[in-house]
Amino acid sequence: MNPEWIGSAAAVFTTAAYIPQAAKAFREKHTTSLSLVMYLLITTGIGLWFVYGVMLGSPSLMLANGISFLLTLGILLMKIKHG
């Protein structure tokens, strides 16, 4: 089995995990209960995973982490803006 298939499956699940939180944050504009430090760390880490995927030329790493980065960055910016 091609490892990219496993990576792609993992990418779908881990990326999808951020969608409900992002949707709720954007819809309600309420992020008080979210940790700023956690979102700073996770957004930075996901950004680094994206760069790593680019360096390896791994489509599953690039796609999953690119989307996850945008979702967590959106939540982080909402947290900064709305507290």
Side-chain angles (χ1 to χ4, degrees), residues 12-50:
V12 167
F13 287 106
T14 57
T15 300
Y18 290 105
I19 294 171
Q21 186 68 62
K24 184 176 181 180
F26 292 127
R27 184 177 57 251
E28 297 177 5
K29 295 189 181 10
H30 184 271
T31 57
T32 305
S33 63
L34 302 179
S35 168
L36 176 61
V37 173
M38 182 270 192
Y39 272 94
L40 284 168
L41 293 171
I42 197 71
T43 303
T44 302
I46 291 170
L48 292 172
W49 273 111
F50 175 78

